[in-house]
Amino acid sequence: MTKHERIDLYQDVTNRIVEQLENGVAPWVQPWSNTASGPSLPLNVTTGRRYSGINVLLLWGTVQMCGFTSQRWLTFNQARTVGGSVRKGEKGTTVFYADSYVPGGNEADEDERAVRFLKRYTVFNIDQCEHLVIPPFLVGR
């Protein structure tokens, strides 16, 4: 992907929120009544980590719009890792990861030249997958 082809991440999130609002979904309101999982934060099923920040709103909105019964998510490769697969034709949801690092790994000079980055990942709800073998510590979450 060249500089000119880069998608503006901020515009992407804005477009998704506007689309949800146009469909009658307030993405900042958790879909309490539409999920079998009850009130919970979205969870990565392979790592056990909860999603945070804007990702919570984006994933709640997707659950509401698609009628998923779970707040559990994973990437395509994570589905393969746990013996499953994403069903053909399923569309993923983009989530974002922001962090920083110090080039050269010199942690003593952390404030000096820390480089911030933003990555995007496509995740799928477990309702979009088949044959997953979910780790025992995550069953029931």
Side-chain angles (χ1 to χ4, degrees), residues 2-134:
T2 68
K3 268 196 239 180
H4 301 293
E5 294 173 329
R6 280 203 163 145
I7 297 171
D8 181 359
L9 298 177
Y10 297 109
Q11 190 61 49
D12 184 35
V13 171
T14 301
N15 291 344
R16 289 169 58 191
I17 291 172
V18 167
E19 178 186 354
Q20 291 172 357
L21 289 171
E22 289 172 347
N23 289 323
V25 175
W28 51 85
V29 177
Q30 183 170 0
W32 303 104
S33 62
N34 199 28
T35 65
S37 63
S40 63
L41 290 173
L43 169 85
N44 182 290
V45 76
T46 60
T47 65
R49 293 184 64 193
R50 300 273 178 201
Y51 289 93
S52 60
I54 191 68
N55 294 328
V56 173
L57 299 178
L58 296 173
L59 295 174
W60 278 349
T62 301
V63 164
Q64 182 72 24
M65 288 178 66
C66 298
F68 295 140
T69 61
S70 173
Q71 293 285 357
R72 296 184 288 174
W73 301 83
L74 61 147
T75 65
F76 181 86
N77 286 336
Q78 288 172 333
R80 287 184 14 194
T81 300
V82 294
S85 62
V86 176
R87 283 194 300 273
K88 188 174 183 169
E90 293 286 353
K91 302 244 187 259
T93 301
T94 302
V95 294
F96 303 92
Y97 175 74
D99 204 351
S100 63
Y101 72 97
V102 178
N106 188 356
E107 293 183 24
D109 299 326
E110 231 175 84
D111 294 333
E112 181 184 323
R113 306 199 192 276
V115 176
R116 293 191 173 122
F117 65 90
L118 182 64
K119 293 175 80 172
R120 67 171 54 206
Y121 294 93
T122 301
V123 295
F124 297 89
N125 190 283
I126 64 167
D127 290 354
Q128 298 174 284
C129 300
E130 300 174 319
H131 313 297
L132 295 176
V133 179
I134 299 171

